[in-house]
Amino acid sequence: MRNRVTLFDSIYIRKLEEKINLSTIIERCKKGEFTLIAEIGVNYYDIAKKLRISLMDAAKYMVFSAKNAGIHAVKFQTYKAETLASKNSPSYWDTSEEPITSQYVLFKKFDHFGEADYHELRTFCAQIGIEFCSTPFDFESADYLDAMMDVYKISSSDLTNLPFIAYMAKKGKPILLSTGASNLDEIHEAVDCIRQYNDRELVLLHCVLEYPTPYDHANLGKIKALKREFPNVYIGYSDHTKPDACYDVIKTAYLFGAVVIEKHFTLDKTLKGNDHYHAMDPHDAEEILQGIQHIECLKGTAELHSIPTEQAARENARRSIVAAVDIPAGVILSENMLTFKRPGMGISPRDLPQVVGKAAQINIKKDSILNWDMLTSSST
């Protein structure tokens, strides 16, 4: 299996060369372009077990699948159970989906990767043209990930961990900050903390820390509220709802102003445990991106003028001033001699005040479309 995946590394990278997009998350934000981040997290552990391949091969396979689906960036989670949770920390997720009731026990299952592993993943991402990032959960990982990432991601769980936020802010990179389970004063404190040390781009991600998030708890209106409250930052959404049939959650978030969407990613949504049951798979990602592209097509521009393809309608569907009766040459035109009919290639009805009182320069037959050269330049 290792040889097969190594072959995949070389062959499929070449197949993806034409798809490589070197834009980063932040560059896309600056251009107002929708950005989809696949939160792989630690889901590659279960994929490795299912496919009977190594953790690294599974992680690369998921990265490749994300790239092939058109996703712009992938994100992992970097932690060690000992520095993340005490052995007495209880679960806060749906235990019917993930039966483990201890945070420490769960995180211990998924903390095998270290600096060298993430460096290998980062290199692979660079080779196939997808942005790599990983959420650090301790100072050590924040340090070694620094050289691998263009942007830091701070978890909702660390929103009030101001010493840790300050530590990453001092590194001078753009930051994505999730705001799940927070109040406004806490968000302001975190933003103020970042701004003490860092004036780079900041993306605030609306988030609900409920796994999975029921649709009626998604509270997407918070996206608009964040835009109003923090007008000088970018706004995004970290989604924990189960993918709905038409991906209305993501589409609505985007229409409300979320330019960055982060969603958990899996290759098998039927897998039990952790973050598979509310994740998107490659098909979902493709459908989301196609849906956003369709919305972009529908949005067009905000310029208030007609478009070139409407020219025929402007000329033919609009009305002109038309003679309601035969009008002999020399007769002064009155309003009761006139009516309004299609097409709109003659004098517009909006110019009626300028027409009434002028004289016919020629004999104008009933139902003729009036043009200015049919009239005297002044009334007689």
Side-chain angles (χ1 to χ4, degrees), residues 145-177:
L145 287 170
D146 185 21
M148 305 179 198
M149 308 188 302
D150 295 325
V151 59
Y152 271 97
K153 168 65 195 296
I154 300 175
S155 164
S156 294
S157 61
D158 278 319
L159 185 121
T160 58
N161 189 355
L162 298 184
F164 191 42
I165 289 177
Y167 190 79
M168 285 182 280
K170 290 176 183 178
K171 294 182 180 294
K173 290 187 174 179
I175 289 174
L176 310 180
L177 173 64

Side-chain angles (χ1 to χ4, degrees), residues 341-366:
K341 294 184 180 182
R342 297 181 181 189
M345 291 181 282
I347 300 173
S348 171
R350 69 185 179 185
D351 293 324
L352 181 65
Q354 287 74 50
V355 172
V356 172
K358 291 191 183 297
Q361 191 155 271
I362 59 173
N363 292 326
I364 302 174
K365 292 184 177 182
K366 179 181 178 180

Side-chain angles (χ1 to χ4, degrees), residues 19 121 160 213 312 331 347 359 363 373:
K19 296 183 179 182
L121 281 176
T160 58
T213 302
V331 171
I347 300 173
N363 292 326
D373 58 7

Side-chain angles (χ1 to χ4, degrees), residues 9-291:
D9 286 353
S10 59
I11 293 176
Y12 285 94
I13 287 171
R14 290 199 297 271
K15 287 186 177 182
L16 282 170
E17 283 179 352
E18 72 277 5
K19 296 183 179 182
I20 289 179
N21 178 357
L22 298 180
S23 294
T24 66
I25 296 168
I26 299 303
E27 286 171 345
R28 294 182 67 85
C29 284
K30 289 178 179 178
K31 293 185 285 187
E33 296 177 346
F34 176 79
T35 303
L36 184 60
I37 302 174
E39 166 68 283
I40 293 175
V42 294
N43 278 347
Y44 56 93
Y45 281 76
D46 297 316
I47 298 301
K49 182 177 180 181
K50 175 185 175 181
L51 299 180
R52 298 181 181 179
I53 58 179
S54 72
L55 290 177
M56 181 58 68
D57 288 345
K60 287 183 177 180
Y61 184 33
M62 292 189 72
V63 169
F64 164 73
S65 299
K67 172 62 181 179
N68 202 38
I71 292 169
H72 307 106
V74 292
K75 192 181 78 65
F76 294 86
Q77 296 176 5
T78 303
Y79 56 74
K80 293 298 179 183
E82 286 79 6
T83 61
L84 179 56
S86 76
K87 294 181 180 179
N88 300 314
S89 51
S91 62
Y92 56 93
W93 46 79
D94 184 349
T95 53
S96 68
E97 296 283 359
E98 171 52 73
I100 293 176
T101 58
S102 162
Q103 292 183 53
Y104 177 84
V105 172
L106 180 68
F107 297 144
K108 191 64 179 174
K109 287 177 58 179
F110 303 118
D111 71 350
H112 300 338
F113 272 14
E115 180 176 359
D117 302 293
Y118 290 110
H119 186 272
E120 183 173 346
L121 281 176
R122 191 268 180 193
T123 300
F124 180 74
C125 289
Q127 288 176 321
I128 69 172
I130 190 169
E131 185 168 3
F132 166 87
C133 58
S134 185
T135 303
F137 285 88
D138 53 53
F139 293 97
E140 180 184 1
S141 60
D143 282 341
Y144 70 67
L145 287 170
D146 185 21
M148 305 179 198
M149 308 188 302
D150 295 325
V151 59
Y152 271 97
K153 168 65 195 296
I154 300 175
S155 164
S156 294
S157 61
D158 278 319
L159 185 121
T160 58
N161 189 355
L162 298 184
F164 191 42
I165 289 177
Y167 190 79
M168 285 182 280
K170 290 176 183 178
K171 294 182 180 294
K173 290 187 174 179
I175 289 174
L176 310 180
L177 173 64
S178 283
T179 62
S182 65
N183 297 321
L184 180 58
D185 61 324
E186 295 170 329
I187 301 173
H188 271 293
E189 285 181 353
V191 171
D192 291 345
C193 178
I194 291 168
R195 287 298 182 231
Q196 278 187 278
Y197 310 102
N198 185 318
D199 63 357
R200 296 295 304 276
E201 296 83 1
L202 174 61
V203 183
L204 295 181
L205 302 175
H206 166 51
C207 176
V208 178
L209 284 188
E210 193 173 357
Y211 301 86
T213 302
Y215 299 127
D216 58 345
H217 292 186
N219 210 359
L220 297 181
K222 279 189 174 180
I223 294 168
K224 290 184 176 182
L226 286 170
K227 284 178 67 69
R228 289 192 303 268
E229 189 72 24
F230 300 94
N232 298 318
V233 307
Y234 300 106
I235 303 300
Y237 174 50
S238 181
D239 181 42
H240 296 133
T241 64
K242 291 185 177 181
D244 55 288
C246 297
Y247 308 101
D248 289 334
V249 173
I250 301 299
K251 293 176 184 177
T252 302
Y254 175 63
L255 286 171
F256 279 9
V259 68
V260 176
I261 301 290
E262 174 189 88
K263 187 162 181 64
H264 284 272
F265 182 70
T266 184
L267 302 183
D268 185 351
K269 292 186 289 187
T270 68
L271 287 174
K272 280 285 186 182
N274 216 41
D275 294 320
H276 300 283
Y277 54 90
H278 56 85
M280 63 180 174
D281 62 15
H283 171 74
D284 294 323
E286 290 172 356
E287 292 292 314
I288 288 168
L289 290 166
Q290 288 174 14

